[in-house]
Amino acid sequence: MSLKDKVALITGSASGIGKEIAIEYARAGAKVVIADLALDAATATANEISQSGGIAMAVAMNVTDEAQVDKGIADAVAAYGSIDVLISNAGIQIIAPVVDSTLDNWKKMLAIHLDGAYLTTRAAMREMIKKGNGGAIIYMGSVHSHEGSPLKAPYVTAKHGLIGLAKVVAKEGAKDKIRANVICPGFVRTPLVEKQIPEQAKELGITEEQVIKTVMLKDTVDGEFTTTHDVAQTAIFLGGFESNALTGQSIVVSHGWFMQ
Ligand code: NAD
């Protein structure tokens, strides 16, 4: 499936990885829908894409809110005619050991990553099935979909959960040519990661430099961060893949941190 003229809705695409995916999808000819909690930033991203010749619109969407998700998908379909690719990417990070963590933060994390993935999947799949042209669903997992790390219990739990959802959606979606896969990036220097460097340094009693070297990049093959471009290129590959041969899988993009 070429991405030319396809409609891709990307959650959490006002910033970081999602924003880069939106920019690179638009460059590949897709019409992109920037769905984010932060409408001002989403509009700014959509304008940036339009000004460089792409086609983009912004929708306000809290992915944990059923009505907002359904409305955002409906608005995208009303404007562009279909949803061909869904990239469920919105996410947050909260750093705390289990013993000092709160139930509220646990629920918030699971809601954004798992309720968000479920609600957007359901709404997008309904449109894909109605349209009858198949589609691609891509979940933004993490190396933490496969590995655990201290201080990240709810995040690691949620990211593992996405693999289960992708496997079920791959099986249920197959007859309608809907594929579901998970991208599992290593550390990427986005606002989400910049925020946790000092937080981890404080929790672990080490310097920020040590967090980068001895925690984040310790198990990579070359001590390098993954980039938003690396992740966006993987999303282009998965979104444009032609058949059900590649479905229900996770692809780790991490400079070798965690080899499957
Ligand atoms: P980011 O903070 O730069 O961007 C996250 C975006 O999600 C923001 O625009 C934010 O407004 C939006 N968002 C947050 N809650 C939302 C909600 N309830 N509804 C709609 N939008 C919401 O972060 P990022 O690093 O680009 O992360 C994107 C995804 O990639 C996340 O799922 C994250 O877990 C995953 N990821 C990031 C890394 C990394 O190292 N940065 C590594 C692996 C996976």
Side-chain angles (χ1 to χ4, degrees), residues 11-19 35-38 41 61-65 88-93 111-113 140-144 155 159 162 183-193 196 225-226 228 231:
T11 68
S13 49
S15 169
I17 291 172
K19 179 174 177 179
D36 205 288
L37 197 57
M61 186 188 285
N62 179 344
V63 295
T64 68
D65 183 311
S88 168
N89 166 79
I92 59 163
Q93 182 57 281
I112 295 174
H113 292 262
M140 198 52 63
S142 163
V143 167
H144 287 117
Y155 184 84
K159 291 300 191 191
L162 291 175
I183 301 178
C184 299
F187 281 98
V188 183
R189 291 201 87 151
T190 64
L192 179 141
V193 160
Q196 69 176 278
F225 277 99
T226 300
T228 55
V231 182

Side-chain angles (χ1 to χ4, degrees):
M1 178 168 98
S2 154
L3 291 174
K4 177 103 185 72
D5 297 326
K6 297 290 178 194
V7 180
L9 184 140
I10 305 148
T11 68
S13 49
S15 169
I17 291 172
K19 179 174 177 179
E20 182 67 20
I21 293 174
I23 291 169
E24 298 199 24
Y25 261 61
R27 234 179 254 146
K31 297 172 188 163
V32 295
V33 184
I34 314 295
D36 205 288
L37 197 57
L39 182 60
D40 286 355
T43 305
T45 299
N47 289 342
E48 201 179 310
I49 291 172
S50 307
Q51 278 152 20
S52 21
I55 300 176
M57 66 183 277
V59 295
M61 186 188 285
N62 179 344
V63 295
T64 68
D65 183 311
E66 187 173 16
Q68 282 188 33
V69 169
D70 289 349
K71 181 172 185 318
I73 298 265
D75 288 350
V77 173
Y80 292 154
S82 62
I83 301 285
D84 304 300
V85 182
L86 165 69
I87 302 173
S88 168
N89 166 79
I92 59 163
Q93 182 57 281
I94 300 170
I95 300 296
V98 171
V99 290
D100 296 332
S101 62
T102 65
L103 180 59
D104 277 353
N105 279 344
W106 171 266
K107 285 184 175 168
K108 183 176 174 190
M109 180 71 74
L110 298 195
I112 295 174
H113 292 262
L114 293 179
D115 298 6
Y118 158 70
L119 289 172
T120 51
T121 296
R122 189 181 66 177
M125 269 183 105
R126 285 175 177 165
E127 287 300 335
M128 289 171 182
I129 291 167
K130 214 189 290 171
K131 192 88 184 167
N133 289 334
I137 298 179
I138 300 169
Y139 300 103
M140 198 52 63
S142 163
V143 167
H144 287 117
S145 298
H146 296 280
E147 272 283 4
S149 287
L151 310 178
K152 296 186 174 176
Y155 184 84
V156 169
T157 304
K159 291 300 191 191
H160 273 66
L162 291 175
I163 301 239
L165 178 61
K167 288 178 178 174
V168 175
V169 172
K171 291 190 175 186
E172 291 185 3
K175 64 181 185 314
D176 293 297
K177 303 231 171 315
I178 298 168
R179 297 171 294 100
N181 291 290
V182 187
I183 301 178
C184 299
F187 281 98
V188 183
R189 291 201 87 151
T190 64
L192 179 141
V193 160
E194 297 299 346
K195 179 172 172 287
Q196 69 176 278
I197 294 172
E199 289 173 354
Q200 289 218 46
K202 190 165 167 241
E203 281 290 346
L204 299 171
I206 58 178
T207 66
E208 293 186 18
E209 182 76 351
Q210 284 170 321
V211 169
I212 292 171
K213 288 219 163 104
T214 66
V215 178
M216 294 184 162
L217 304 179
K218 176 171 72 74
D219 294 319
T220 61
V221 292
D222 52 11
E224 297 214 5
F225 277 99
T226 300
T227 65
T228 55
H229 175 69
D230 297 325
V231 182
Q233 285 301 304
T234 312
I236 285 188
F237 167 67
L238 284 175
F241 200 83
E242 299 280 347
S243 77
N244 279 346
L246 181 46
T247 195
Q249 307 299 323
S250 68
I251 298 188
V252 182
V253 190
S254 64
H255 284 260
W257 170 31
F258 185 80
M259 297 186 186
Q260 305 196 67

